[in-house]
Amino acid sequence: MTFRHSLRVRIIIAFCIFGAVLGIVYATAVYISLDAIDDHLIDSRLKEEVEHFIAHYQRYNTYPQPTSPYITAYVGTKNMPLYVQNMVDGFSAGLYEAHIDEEEYHIAIQKLQGSEKRLYLLYEVSALEFTEKRKVGIRLVLIAGVVFIIGLGLWIGWLTSRKVIAPVAHLSDLVNETGPDNLPTDLSKTFYDDEVGVLAKALEQAMKRVEIHVEREYRFSRYASHELRTPVTIIKGAVGLLGKKLSGENDPAYRPLKRIERAVTNMENIIETLLWLSRKDEAIDQSQVLDVVPLVRDTIEQNRYLLADKPVDIEFVTENSPQLSIPAPIFQIMLTNLIRNAIQHTASGNISIIIKDDRISVSDTGAGMAPDEVKRVTQPHRPGDRDQGFGLGLSIVKRLCDRLGWQLNIESERGRGTKAQLIFS
């Protein structure tokens, strides 16, 4: 689930919960209020009946008949049925509620002036109050009201989520459409001066800083590469002249001179690679064709000296013979880094280099890496436990893969070795 969908769902759920709570509170309040109003009306009617009875007795000195067929009057307890006597036993003057089986009574007790007798009025309200059927109907109406309020909350939440998410989604789309070469510098212009606008301004400032940093890096790469070209060319020329003066492979200076020659060649490749990386708008010349197999074989031989006296065998397997449209120095830099890492971190065992139609695989039986090392092995300036090799090399390889649209896949296990793959497609 994307961010915008997750936020929309949370807003809708919040409004639904609010609507449900509000509806339940409202329904409960209405139900309790109806019952309280019903009791209040009955008690008021009973008080009026008491006043009417006393006024009539004081005026005519006779006991009137109740004005409602549901009200029964008793003066004293002598003529009361036994069940009524049991019901009012212990009651003093006032208003009461009582139940006998399924019948409900409201009782008013009032002492008659000038007499020791009491007036008892029994109001049978079972037929007047809400019957169970009516209560069920009221409950259904209240439940329907709760459902309506929840639905209303759902609708309001959906409308609100659209309004709230729209600017956030727009900002997210703008950010997702950006890249290192097209960082937006006017994000905040399309937003109001609200929370999203503040966020857009912060992102805009951050992207400006990133753009300045990236441009500074490109400039440094260009300047450094151009400045290095001259001394490297001078060294290469000097190495060539010295090589002509050697007496042969047995000359003591032969091996050191060869190492200098390899280092100069590697430096030339690095300079070309850095220059290519610094030209961010330069496309790859698709007309050039690079045969992978011979270049891999030459790279293996150029780095074989790193084995020294290690008991390590290099196995070279060609399952296919792919061709790539990529400058040879760039591809050689990538391959050299993978092969050197394998040699440097394998004390004994085997190194296997396999060429397939869509990838090159370099596997070793060396020390390997822990999972946390694998995650950060392609980050610049973050070497692993062994400082030699796991640093800027793989970082450059990763940047080249990103520029070419390739993949760099590294699998490793501590004590079992490492497998690195350059995947072309």
Side-chain angles (χ1 to χ4, degrees):
M1 183 179 291
T2 62
F3 162 75
R4 68 183 65 179
H5 291 136
S6 175
L7 181 58
R8 174 170 291 178
V9 168
R10 288 199 296 268
I11 292 174
I12 293 174
I13 290 175
F15 271 91
C16 284
I17 292 175
F18 175 75
V21 173
L22 183 63
I24 291 171
V25 171
Y26 170 76
T28 304
V30 169
Y31 191 78
I32 294 174
S33 297
L34 288 175
D35 192 53
I37 292 171
D38 189 40
D39 287 342
H40 176 72
L41 292 175
I42 292 173
D43 289 341
S44 297
R45 176 71 181 84
L46 202 53
K47 288 179 180 179
E48 291 177 358
E49 191 69 22
V50 170
E51 292 174 357
H52 167 72
F53 193 95
I54 293 175
H56 188 281
Y57 175 76
Q58 289 176 346
R59 184 172 182 180
Y60 301 105
N61 199 26
T62 59
Y63 302 125
Q65 290 295 323
T67 59
S68 172
Y70 298 103
I71 299 177
T72 305
Y74 299 96
V75 178
T77 59
K78 184 177 180 180
N79 297 322
M80 277 185 184
L82 181 60
Y83 76 91
V84 178
Q85 292 182 20
N86 293 333
M87 187 166 48
V88 301
D89 185 34
F91 287 171
S92 58
L95 296 173
Y96 303 93
E97 288 187 28
H99 295 80
I100 298 178
D101 296 330
E102 295 182 358
E103 303 295 331
E104 182 179 349
Y105 294 89
H106 281 232
I107 304 169
I109 303 175
Q110 179 69 40
K111 185 178 180 181
L112 297 175
Q113 292 182 358
S115 174
E116 295 296 326
K117 294 182 180 180
R118 290 183 178 181
L119 170 65
Y120 297 89
L121 293 181
L122 273 68
Y123 199 162
E124 185 180 351
V125 298
S126 301
L128 301 177
E129 286 193 321
F130 296 127
T131 61
E132 191 61 34
K133 186 176 181 180
R134 291 178 65 192
K135 289 182 178 179
V136 171
I138 291 173
R139 292 192 191 105
L140 290 177
V141 171
L142 293 176
I143 290 172
V146 171
V147 173
F148 172 76
I149 294 176
I150 294 175
L152 184 63
L154 179 65
W155 180 67
I156 295 174
W158 181 74
L159 291 179
T160 304
S161 66
R162 287 189 61 185
K163 188 172 183 62
V164 170
I165 290 174
V168 179
H170 180 54
L171 178 60
S172 175
D173 292 337
L174 289 177
V175 173
N176 288 333
E177 291 171 0
T178 64
D181 300 330
N182 62 335
L183 295 176
T185 57
D186 56 352
L187 275 177
S188 59
K189 290 184 178 180
T190 57
F191 297 95
Y192 294 109
D193 192 17
D194 54 9
E195 292 83 356
V196 180
V198 171
L199 177 60
K201 287 182 180 178
L203 287 173
E204 182 180 300
Q205 295 300 320
M207 288 182 178
K208 287 180 179 178
R209 291 193 293 270
V210 171
E211 186 177 33
I212 293 172
H213 175 77
V214 171
E215 184 59 34
R216 186 190 305 126
E217 183 181 341
Y218 281 136
R219 285 201 304 269
F220 173 78
S221 298
R222 288 195 299 269
Y223 296 158
S225 300
H226 281 295
E227 292 298 324
L228 288 172
R229 271 183 164 182
T230 300
V232 168
T233 302
I234 292 173
I235 295 173
K236 186 176 182 179
V239 168
L241 291 175
L242 290 174
K244 293 179 181 180
K245 295 181 179 181
L246 296 180
S247 58
E249 294 184 4
N250 295 325
D251 193 299
Y254 179 80
R255 292 184 64 185
L257 199 61
K258 280 295 181 182
R259 292 187 64 181
I260 295 173
E261 186 178 355
R262 287 192 296 267
V264 169
T265 301
N266 190 47
M267 182 63 72
E268 284 183 321
N269 291 338
I270 291 175
I271 291 173
E272 291 299 321
T273 301
L274 290 176
L275 276 174
W276 185 74
L277 280 175
S278 67
R279 300 184 189 116
K280 52 185 177 181
D281 298 326
E282 182 176 338
I284 299 175
D285 184 5
Q286 299 292 332
S287 63
Q288 59 185 341
V289 177
L290 170 66
D291 289 323
V292 172
V293 174
L295 183 59
V296 174
R297 185 180 290 109
D298 290 345
T299 305
I300 293 172
E301 295 305 318
Q302 289 174 11
N303 291 279
R304 192 177 290 275
Y305 75 96
L306 295 173
L307 291 174
D309 297 326
K310 289 183 180 180
V312 176
D313 295 326
I314 297 181
E315 180 185 13
F316 180 42
V317 180
T318 57
E319 296 183 2
N320 294 93
S321 300
Q323 292 182 329
L324 302 174
S325 297
I326 179 177
I330 295 174
F331 185 75
Q332 193 164 23
I333 281 293
M334 300 168 75
L335 190 61
T336 297
N337 274 286
L338 298 185
I339 293 175
R340 284 186 175 181
N341 281 334
I343 293 175
Q344 288 173 352
H345 302 297
T346 304
S348 62
N350 300 303
I351 296 174
S352 177
I353 302 171
I354 303 174
I355 300 178
K356 298 183 179 182
D357 183 54
D358 64 338
R359 70 191 64 196
I360 293 178
S361 173
V362 180
S363 306
D364 64 67
T365 58
M369 294 179 288
D372 60 327
E373 287 183 279
V374 176
K375 291 179 181 179
R376 56 187 171 85
V377 73
T378 58
Q379 299 177 15
H381 308 294
R382 290 180 179 267
D385 295 339
R386 302 141 300 183
D387 290 341
Q388 48 174 3
F390 286 148
L392 283 174
L394 289 179
S395 173
I396 292 177
V397 175
K398 181 64 169 61
R399 286 187 58 183
L400 289 170
C401 286
D402 293 340
R403 180 77 177 270
L404 295 167
W406 294 3
Q407 296 181 46
L408 173 61
N409 184 28
I410 299 176
E411 302 173 2
S412 186
E413 185 177 349
R414 179 73 76 181
R416 300 289 297 273
T418 302
K419 180 179 180 180
Q421 296 185 91
L422 282 177
I423 304 174
F424 314 140
S425 58

